[in-house]
Amino acid sequence: VLEEWVRKQNTAPRPEKTEAKQIGVSVKAASINIQYGDYELSGMCIGGDYIYIVSQSGSYGNRQWRIEKRSKYNGELIKTWTKNAQNNSLGDCVVVKDKLYIGGNRVFDLDLNLLKEVKELGSFPYITSDGRYLYIAGENILEKRRLDNLFLVAEGRFPHDSAALNISINPVTGHLWVVPHMFEAITPPYPPQFIHELYIFDRDLKILMELKPDIAGRLDFVFDEKGN
C-alpha cells in the first residue's frame, strides 16, 4: 500500500521549486577518531568545508551543551561553543545558506556565534529545511518556522502521543515524512513494546497518511533525487 501511494505521489505535479540545494559530501577511505567522553551526540550536519557536531553531557537539571566546528577533511577541531543548561538537549542541526540552525530554536552563523534563540521545543527535536522554511519535529508536535527570524508559521500534531525520531522532505512531492516512536502497553507479564509509526504531512502540516510499518528495530529513511 505504501509503495503504491508513494509511486502515485511521485508522479503527481511537482510543488513550487525552491532554492534549496543538497550539500555534496566527498566520501573517501578515511576515518576521524573523535573522543567525546560522556557527551551524547544529538546532531551532525555539513556546511561548506566543515562538520558541525551537536552534543550534550550530564543529567537532567545539570547539562552542558556543546557544538563543535571541525574540518570535514581531517576532523581538525576549529571552534567550540558550550553552555551550561538545566534540561533537554540542543537537538538536531541543519545548515541553510550561511546559517546553522540547531533544534529549530537557535540560529548561529557558521563560526558558532549565536544570533537568535526562541522557546525550546522539548527534548531531541529533529529538523529539516526546504530552503524557505524550517520544519521541526519534537515531542508530539510539528512546526514550520521562518528562516530569518524563527517566527512560527504553522503547527501540526501527531495523531498519538509520541516523540520524533526523524524528519525528511520528499524532494519530488515536497511532503514531510516523520517517524515518531512510542511505547505500547502489553498485558503483563510482558513489558511495554517500543513501536514506530510513519506520518506523512504536506508543507502546511496537514497529515496525509498514517502508517504502522511492521519493521523491527529503529525505523529510518532517506530519499534519492527521484523521491524513492
Side-chain angles (χ1 to χ4, degrees), residues 1-9 200 209-211:
V1 175
L2 175 60
E3 291 180 354
E4 177 64 18
W5 188 86
V6 171
R7 184 189 66 78
K8 291 180 179 179
Q9 294 298 312
I200 302 176
M209 195 171 193
E210 175 186 353
L211 296 169

Side-chain angles (χ1 to χ4, degrees), residues 16 18 20 92-94 96 101 103-105 121 125-138 141-147 150 152-156 164 166-169 174-178 201-206:
E16 177 185 355
T18 70
D92 197 11
C93 67
V94 65
V96 184
Y101 296 87
N105 62 316
L121 302 175
Y126 288 81
I127 64 175
T128 190
S129 176
D130 59 4
R132 299 177 63 191
Y133 298 96
L134 282 178
Y135 299 92
I136 307 113
I141 192 170
L142 183 62
E143 291 189 346
K144 176 180 181 178
R145 291 182 176 268
R146 288 180 51 169
L147 288 170
L150 298 181
L152 185 65
V153 176
E155 182 177 285
N166 191 12
I167 180 172
S168 188
I169 299 176
H175 294 156
L176 298 163
W177 288 47
V178 182
F201 294 82
D202 65 19
R203 284 195 285 186
D204 292 322
L205 308 191
K206 304 230 174 5

Side-chain angles (χ1 to χ4, degrees), residues 81-92:
W81 179 91
T82 61
K83 180 180 180 179
N84 293 326
Q86 292 298 310
N87 53 28
N88 295 337
S89 72
L90 277 171
D92 197 11

Side-chain angles (χ1 to χ4, degrees), residues 6-189:
V6 171
R7 184 189 66 78
K8 291 180 179 179
Q9 294 298 312
N10 286 348
T11 55
R14 299 191 178 192
E16 177 185 355
K17 292 184 178 180
T18 70
E19 297 180 356
K21 296 181 180 179
Q22 293 187 353
I23 300 173
V25 181
S26 177
V27 180
K28 298 182 180 179
S31 64
I32 300 172
N33 183 17
I34 303 173
Q35 301 295 328
Y36 286 103
D38 63 347
Y39 277 86
E40 178 183 4
L41 184 70
S42 66
M44 185 183 306
C45 50
I46 295 176
D49 294 330
Y50 303 101
I51 300 174
Y52 296 89
I53 302 171
V54 185
S55 62
Q56 56 277 326
S57 67
S59 58
Y60 191 88
N62 184 28
R63 289 228 185 229
Q64 184 182 66
W65 293 336
R66 180 182 179 93
I67 306 173
E68 294 182 353
K69 176 182 180 180
R70 291 180 175 268
S71 166
K72 76 175 183 181
Y73 302 107
N74 57 20
E76 177 186 0
L77 180 62
I78 307 299
K79 189 174 181 180
T80 301
W81 179 91
T82 61
K83 180 180 180 179
N84 293 326
Q86 292 298 310
N87 53 28
N88 295 337
S89 72
L90 277 171
D92 197 11
C93 67
V94 65
V95 173
V96 184
K97 298 179 181 178
D98 61 346
K99 300 292 189 301
L100 170 67
Y101 296 87
I102 306 289
N105 62 316
R106 289 178 178 86
V107 186
F108 295 78
D109 65 20
L110 298 186
D111 201 32
L112 299 188
N113 296 304
L114 180 62
L115 303 177
K116 186 175 182 62
E117 60 183 336
V118 296
K119 182 181 177 181
E120 295 181 17
L121 302 175
S123 298
F124 296 99
Y126 288 81
I127 64 175
T128 190
S129 176
D130 59 4
R132 299 177 63 191
Y133 298 96
L134 282 178
Y135 299 92
I136 307 113
E139 295 180 350
N140 198 34
I141 192 170
L142 183 62
E143 291 189 346
K144 176 180 181 178
R145 291 182 176 268
R146 288 180 51 169
L147 288 170
D148 56 350
N149 53 24
L150 298 181
F151 284 178
L152 185 65
V153 176
E155 182 177 285
R157 293 281 177 176
F158 302 151
H160 307 287
D161 189 15
S162 53
L165 283 176
N166 191 12
I167 180 172
S168 188
I169 299 176
N170 184 316
V172 174
T173 65
H175 294 156
L176 298 163
W177 288 47
V178 182
V179 175
H181 74 278
M182 60 184 178
F183 287 100
E184 185 175 71
I186 305 297
T187 303

